[in-house]
Amino acid sequence: MATKYHARSISLPSKSHPSTVKVEEELRKMKTWESCSFSSSSVCGALLGLQDLYDSIDELLKMGSTHQISSCPQLKQLVDELLDGSVRLLDVCSLAKDMAFQTQQHVGALYSAVRRRKRDSAIKTTIAAYACYRKKMMKEAKKLMISMKKMNEKFNSTQMTNLDNHLSSVIGAMRQAYSINSSILESVLLYLTPLTKPKARGWSLVSKGVHNGAIACESKSGLNEFESVDLALSSAVEEKEVEKLHMAQRRLESLEMAAREIESGLDGVFRRSIKTRASLLNILSQ
């Protein structure tokens, strides 16, 4: 899987209206996240940037000149497409937020089992439940990413011709914002469902090849919190050393905190997406 998201480009008009400058500035900022490392901090930073982008878009939609959209049939059709896209993005955002919450619950159970040093059978049961959850989550994430890909293909298939420069800039900016939103949500899903996942059978949480080499060079491997937890748990459970158990606890704490921050970031994006959708509906109703 990719280690960072790539925003799908939807070109804006060559000469944008001055009122869209702030939105375009936020769009340019968002593209800097393409070069960030694939970690919880970069994912959370992208979610915060997306919130700022939506705030700028909402200000743009409140401008009187933007309300002319309701008088142009072609623009109304494009807005309808944006509304359809917003529903899909809201669904994905809500499901991703639920994934982040469930991750906290499962990681909390793992932390409790390791901290209390429960008998091997109890820890094994907890690990098996976590592995089952991860497998289910990966399947769900794949479906969601396919859904968002179809949405972006639809946006790219509709051309904007013979439109007022300002209004086409507004629609173009929103299209690009939705495309970036889609890419960031994909980034979140990829973070929450890394390829290195625990195996339900036995103590091994990672493949033998990864386990043999990664622990020695973990600091240089670029692993995210999920993968670091897999390695730490594998080492702690197999070798049963006190220090490694403590390391596993610390890694589990970090993962739980990362999932909580991502859930919070997704909640902020969800709320602002609702607000933007309401502004679009308000424009069409005039």
Side-chain angles (χ1 to χ4, degrees):
M1 286 188 181
T3 56
K4 50 194 171 186
Y5 81 86
H6 296 275
R8 298 168 180 82
S9 177
I10 299 178
S11 298
L12 295 175
S14 57
K15 294 182 179 180
S16 300
H17 193 278
S19 61
T20 65
V21 170
K22 185 175 181 180
V23 173
E24 292 177 16
E25 181 181 349
E26 294 297 336
L27 287 170
R28 283 192 292 272
K29 288 180 182 178
M30 293 308 303
K31 290 182 179 179
T32 63
W33 292 105
E34 288 182 301
S35 60
C36 291
S37 60
F38 195 59
S39 63
S40 62
S41 59
S42 63
V43 171
C44 289
L47 289 171
L48 290 175
L50 187 56
Q51 292 177 37
D52 291 338
L53 174 58
Y54 269 112
D55 286 339
S56 298
I57 287 176
D58 199 59
E59 291 179 13
L60 179 61
L61 292 177
K62 290 178 180 178
M63 293 182 58
S65 56
T66 302
H67 289 206
Q68 298 172 20
I69 288 175
S70 60
S71 62
C72 177
Q74 185 182 354
L75 283 172
K76 290 181 69 173
Q77 178 186 351
L78 294 171
V79 172
D80 284 337
E81 289 182 3
L82 288 171
L83 288 170
D84 289 342
S86 71
V87 171
R88 186 165 296 176
L89 289 173
L90 283 168
D91 286 343
V92 175
C93 188
S94 178
L95 290 169
K97 188 170 65 167
D98 186 55
M99 284 183 183
F101 175 75
Q102 290 185 48
T103 295
Q104 294 172 56
Q105 304 303 303
H106 283 276
V107 171
L110 276 172
Y111 176 83
S112 177
V114 173
R115 181 175 63 83
R116 296 175 184 177
R117 300 180 192 177
K118 293 181 178 179
R119 61 187 185 279
D120 287 353
S121 60
I123 297 178
K124 185 176 180 179
T125 299
T126 306
I127 290 174
Y130 177 61
C132 182
Y133 162 70
R134 288 273 293 276
K135 184 177 180 180
K136 178 181 178 182
M137 189 167 62
M138 290 180 74
K139 290 182 178 179
E140 182 65 24
K142 184 177 180 180
K143 292 178 182 178
L144 294 176
M145 286 187 283
I146 291 173
S147 174
M148 289 189 293
K149 181 180 179 181
K150 291 180 179 178
M151 180 196 73
N152 278 297
E153 288 174 349
K154 184 176 181 180
F155 280 163
N156 284 319
S157 66
T158 306
Q159 301 298 319
M160 296 186 298
T161 58
N162 301 320
L163 297 178
D164 172 88
N165 189 60
H166 165 57
L167 298 180
S168 61
S169 294
V170 173
I171 298 297
M174 292 199 64
R175 278 182 163 190
Q176 191 161 350
Y178 279 19
S179 180
I180 289 175
N181 188 349
S182 174
S183 294
I184 291 175
L185 288 177
E186 182 178 342
S187 169
V188 171
L189 293 172
L190 288 172
Y191 173 83
L192 292 173
T193 57
L195 281 179
T196 303
K197 59 184 184 298
K199 297 179 180 179
R201 181 167 59 88
W203 297 119
S204 181
L205 300 184
V206 290
S207 67
K208 184 177 180 181
V210 173
H211 178 68
N212 288 342
I215 293 178
C217 59
E218 189 174 348
S219 62
K220 301 179 181 179
S221 63
L223 300 178
N224 71 13
E225 285 83 355
F226 276 98
E227 296 160 326
S228 293
V229 161
D230 289 347
L231 288 171
L233 277 176
S234 178
S235 178
V237 173
E238 290 176 357
E239 300 178 31
K240 300 180 181 179
E241 295 180 8
V242 174
E243 179 55 36
K244 291 188 176 180
L245 285 170
H246 288 165
M247 173 64 74
Q249 291 176 41
R250 291 194 292 271
R251 295 289 171 79
L252 286 164
E253 282 183 309
S254 295
L255 177 55
E256 186 175 9
M257 181 179 297
R260 186 180 300 113
E261 291 175 349
I262 288 175
E263 182 193 9
S264 177
L266 288 167
D267 183 65
V269 171
F270 185 86
R271 292 175 183 276
R272 285 164 175 80
S273 298
I274 287 286
K275 188 177 180 182
T276 297
R277 177 176 170 78
S279 297
L280 280 174
L281 289 170
N282 181 55
I283 290 172
L284 289 182
S285 67
Q286 294 180 356

